[in-house]
Amino acid sequence: MEFITQPWAWYVAGPIIALVMFLLYYFGERFGVSSNLETLCSIGGAGRFVDYFKIDWKQNSWNLIFVAGGITGGFIASQWLSPTDVVAINPQTIQDLADIGIQNAGATYLPEEIFSIETMLSLKGFLILLIAGIMVGFGARWAGGCTSGHAIVGLSNLELPSLIAVIGFFIGGLIMTWFILPLLF
């Protein structure tokens, strides 16, 4: 059990990811999580209103199973395979977060100042979630995929649009971390 609960070294996890990518490429499949929104909208009947959603969603059913497995696996890992809620964070990062009002950073995986029910139900929290959700959803569709799709699949297939998207994701993350997050908190 100790082997499962500890982080895996890059030389174990990396080849496993590479094997999965090779198998997906071999079988002509593409991996990505954001494309499941398209599939779910198609299942829900959005194709009756928007031509974009007129797709055969059954071709993507394997990806829905993957997402269900990811959600189930995340739940199992958080409930039974996490040895502690304490997260190892660099002391300077803890100080930087405290400076913008996020106290006890690293004490749990999800800081109360951002992820508590009270925060999410406040006007500020609700607006942050709503705007962030719209931006992430729009950005993933506009970029032709999410971070996992571009960074893992696109880069492993040596796709230039994925490289450009990943560079944009990093730039956006830096802007959010250093400029926008301090303004919000």
Side-chain angles (χ1 to χ4, degrees):
M1 196 64 166
E2 183 73 19
F3 173 74
I4 293 175
T5 61
Q6 297 302 314
W8 290 4
W10 64 268
Y11 52 82
V12 175
I16 292 171
I17 293 171
L19 175 65
V20 170
M21 298 292 36
F22 173 77
L23 291 172
L24 287 171
Y25 183 75
Y26 179 78
F27 289 110
E29 300 290 351
R30 302 198 42 91
F31 171 78
V33 177
S34 63
S35 59
N36 286 296
L37 176 61
E38 176 183 296
T39 304
L40 289 172
C41 289
S42 177
I43 291 171
R48 288 179 281 172
F49 307 104
V50 180
D51 288 341
Y52 177 78
F53 295 111
K54 288 183 179 177
I55 61 170
D56 181 13
W57 64 267
K58 293 176 184 166
Q59 290 181 340
N60 296 331
S61 60
W62 73 272
N63 214 356
L64 292 175
I65 294 169
F66 168 80
V67 169
I71 292 168
T72 303
F75 176 77
I76 290 170
S78 70
Q79 293 298 312
W80 296 295
L81 298 178
S82 298
T84 179
D85 281 343
V86 177
V87 183
I89 299 178
N90 183 301
Q92 182 60 49
T93 302
I94 292 173
Q95 181 58 46
D96 291 343
L97 290 170
D99 290 345
I100 62 170
I102 299 176
Q103 303 301 320
N104 302 320
T108 62
Y109 282 104
L110 304 173
E112 290 288 321
E113 292 85 356
I114 301 173
F115 295 102
S116 69
I117 296 297
E118 295 80 25
T119 301
M120 289 190 275
L121 294 178
S122 69
L123 179 62
K124 176 182 168 184
F126 177 77
L127 289 175
I128 289 172
L129 288 174
L130 180 68
I131 293 169
I134 290 170
M135 290 177 69
V136 167
F138 176 76
R141 288 292 82 201
W142 189 38
C146 59
T147 52
S148 62
H150 279 296
I152 298 172
V153 178
L155 291 180
S156 68
N157 289 336
L158 303 176
E159 296 177 10
L160 180 61
S162 291
L163 177 62
I164 293 168
V166 169
I167 291 170
F169 296 149
F170 274 96
I171 291 170
L174 289 171
I175 291 170
M176 179 66 190
T177 300
W178 292 103
F179 300 111
I180 299 173
L181 191 64
L183 292 175
L184 296 175
F185 294 96

